[in-house]
Amino acid sequence: LRELSVSAADPPPAQSRPISVRDAQAIILREIKPPTPGPTPVTSDVVGLMLAADVAADVDSPPHDKSMMDGYAVRSADLASGHATLKVLEEITAGRTPTRPIVAGCASRIMTGAPIPQGADAVIMVEHTRYGEGHVEINTSPPRPGQNILPRGSEMRRGDVVLPAGTLLRPLELGILATVGKTEVSVRPRPLVAVLSTGDELVEPGEVPGPGQIRNSNGPMLLALAAHAGAGHRYLGIARDRPESLRPLIAEGLQSAVFLLSGGVSAGALDLAPDLLCEAGVTAHFHKVAMKPGKPLLFGTYDHADGRRTLVFALPGNPVSSFVGFELFVRPALRRLMGHTSPDPEAISAVLAQDFHYNTDRPTYHPARLELASGRWRVRVVPWQGSADLRALAQANALVVFPAGDHHHDVGQTLDALRLE
Ligand code: AMP
Ligand code: MG
């Protein structure tokens, strides 16, 4: 490895000791340069991105005092008893402008969304009225002034910041953007994640494995994790455990904002990824994390001549290790790249629902089920065969963190857990 910057206080020449998950997360976030935001047309493609600049209203909404009901616009003074027969002046539908002020003894038929005519201060629901021969008979309780009227500007006033920078764009925000006439917004581009699986033993899911072979489960899983995290994604296929096979695919992966490589990252005879990444110009920031599953995990950066930076994650090949590595390190990196202010996964304090004896040499992210019981999170351990056991992980909705050592954990003990999306 060309360079390691484990921590400023204690920079080892080559990484002998694994670093903590927390330090690893801090190093990753420190190395990220979020791309400059740019103007982007508002289409469903921006859903999931963060606004990089405030959006202000260019109009009052509603643009006029507006009726919230189909009914009759009246003067509340005419209905002090709740009963009256009023002369109907005109019919005001949404999009029309009233032409007749409401004077004593008069009303106008009005539809939802239509502007309130001058002189009126209440709308009576059509259900409480009966129309006949130019007059309306009203039988209701006395209306209060303002009843069924939404005043101009009550939702937003021209100049109000309706969506501050840092807002996550969901479908509902697109409705607000449309209200204020924003057809273009400033957002950071969706990061593109390239995924490369490595291993001589791998075949694609559509193939039948021969002797000694297994199917490539990490490729589809990592692509889907990236997509689900809101990133763009690109599959680079399977590299064989040979420099000639890995080199061109590494070069390809380094073209994306984020390059995920799985397998070949530990210390086996055919674990070529660290050396070949280094050869390609990647600066490694750490290569071992004190965690289970997935201790060998390399994070590096590659700086392009034009100033762009590619983040490189070489994840261990075992599927649960790859998955946990994604959740702990890649997802926060993607969140930061997309402009989230709090990218780190949120730790949930949970009460252990069972006695559990566990002996582990590293802090362990164990598959578990979290449930909310009378206002407290309870966590139950899911039986698990280790880092290849993706099937057990599918029964989990969380990872519970057990400290290193040989411990009896008692029911009722509080542990940290990480909720899985
Ligand atoms: P490695 O990190 O390359 O030493 O691989 C560790 C274990 O994960 C080995 O048993 C590999 O066969 C397995 N493995 C590696 N890559 C994949 C993959 N893409 N899908 C499923 N299993 C994998
Ligand atoms: Mg391998």
Side-chain angles (χ1 to χ4, degrees):
L1 295 178
R2 221 165 46 168
E3 187 189 319
L4 284 153
S5 51
V6 173
S7 86
D10 172 30
Q15 194 187 345
S16 43
R17 278 183 298 120
I19 62 169
S20 70
V21 168
R22 191 186 286 258
D23 286 350
Q25 286 169 333
I27 289 171
I28 293 167
L29 294 185
R30 187 190 70 202
E31 293 299 329
I32 292 175
K33 298 188 203 163
T36 319
T40 307
V42 176
T43 66
S44 58
D45 287 351
V46 301
V47 170
L49 300 179
M50 311 278 290
L51 270 184
D54 290 350
V55 170
D58 70 338
V59 287
D60 289 345
S61 181
H64 44 252
D65 292 350
K66 140 179 140 171
S67 177
M68 291 160 69
M69 294 287 170
D70 292 331
Y72 287 86
V74 300
R75 294 161 14 108
S76 56
D78 285 348
L79 281 158
S81 68
H83 312 289
T85 298
L86 303 172
K87 183 177 177 211
V88 176
L89 300 177
E90 63 176 334
E91 184 174 87
I92 313 159
T93 52
R96 302 275 293 273
T97 308
T99 61
R100 313 271 309 264
I102 306 299
V103 292
C106 295
S108 283
R109 176 96 165 98
I110 193 164
M111 307 303 163
T112 303
I116 302 294
Q118 230 189 342
D121 67 352
V123 171
I124 306 298
M125 285 169 71
V126 72
E127 288 81 351
H128 300 147
T129 68
R130 208 169 65 200
Y131 179 80
E133 300 190 1
H135 286 77
V136 60
E137 193 187 314
I138 296 176
N139 279 303
T140 181
S141 44
R144 55 172 180 79
Q147 176 172 301
N148 295 329
I149 295 175
L150 196 62
R152 170 179 182 154
S154 57
E155 287 163 3
M156 60 183 81
R157 294 201 172 275
R158 187 192 162 107
D160 282 354
V161 171
V162 287
L163 298 172
T167 300
L168 176 69
L169 296 174
R170 301 167 299 172
L172 112 74
E173 277 73 26
L174 267 60
I176 298 174
L177 291 170
T179 306
V180 302
K182 268 279 181 187
T183 55
E184 211 175 66
V185 283
S186 175
V187 288
R188 296 201 163 79
R190 210 176 275 284
L192 182 64
V193 177
V195 172
L196 176 65
S197 299
T198 76
D200 284 340
E201 73 281 31
L202 300 180
V203 299
E204 292 294 14
E207 297 169 43
V208 178
Q213 294 184 322
I214 57 166
R215 292 196 175 101
N216 170 18
S217 37
N218 291 343
M221 180 178 69
L222 291 170
L223 287 167
L225 281 165
H228 194 246
H233 53 281
R234 180 166 172 236
Y235 181 49
L236 301 179
I238 299 171
R240 300 306 170 190
D241 294 318
R242 285 186 304 277
E244 321 78 78
S245 175
L246 275 154
R247 268 193 201 108
L249 291 165
I250 286 176
E252 189 92 27
L254 291 176
Q255 296 309 309
S256 299
V258 178
F259 178 25
L260 304 185
L261 183 152
S262 81
V265 69
S266 49
L270 292 180
D271 290 335
L272 306 174
D275 282 350
L276 291 176
L277 287 170
C278 175
E279 179 195 290
V282 173
T283 301
H285 299 281
F286 58 80
H287 185 185
K288 279 182 213 148
V289 184
M291 61 184 269
K292 204 188 221 162
K295 172 164 104 179
L297 189 152
L298 183 149
F299 167 69
T301 49
Y302 178 81
D303 289 318
H304 296 259
D306 61 6
R308 279 181 306 131
R309 167 169 280 191
T310 296
L311 307 178
V312 182
F313 297 86
L315 304 169
N318 267 314
V320 182
S321 308
S322 264
F323 182 93
V324 173
F326 186 96
E327 289 299 323
L328 290 180
F329 306 111
V330 184
R331 187 185 294 279
L334 294 176
R335 285 168 59 84
R336 171 56 60 85
L337 280 172
M338 292 168 75
H340 287 257
T341 43
S342 54
D344 275 331
E346 189 198 345
I348 289 175
S349 219
V351 173
L352 193 58
Q354 70 201 105
D355 287 327
F356 189 61
H357 175 217
Y358 198 54
N359 184 1
T360 178
D361 60 339
R362 282 164 272 154
T364 297
Y365 290 75
H366 197 294
R369 283 205 70 83
L370 264 184
E371 57 173 65
L372 205 49
S374 32
R376 289 225 61 177
W377 287 107
R378 283 159 54 89
V379 67
R380 186 169 285 284
V381 169
V382 167
W384 179 47
Q385 306 299 319
S387 49
D389 190 3
L390 206 50
R391 191 175 168 199
L393 186 60
Q395 305 306 310
N397 64 359
L399 300 168
V400 61
V401 189
F402 288 110
D406 189 354
H407 296 291
H408 285 279
H409 301 282
D410 295 327
V411 63
Q413 183 182 336
T414 301
L415 293 165
D416 275 347
L418 185 88
R419 202 141 40 128
L420 301 174
E421 307 224 347

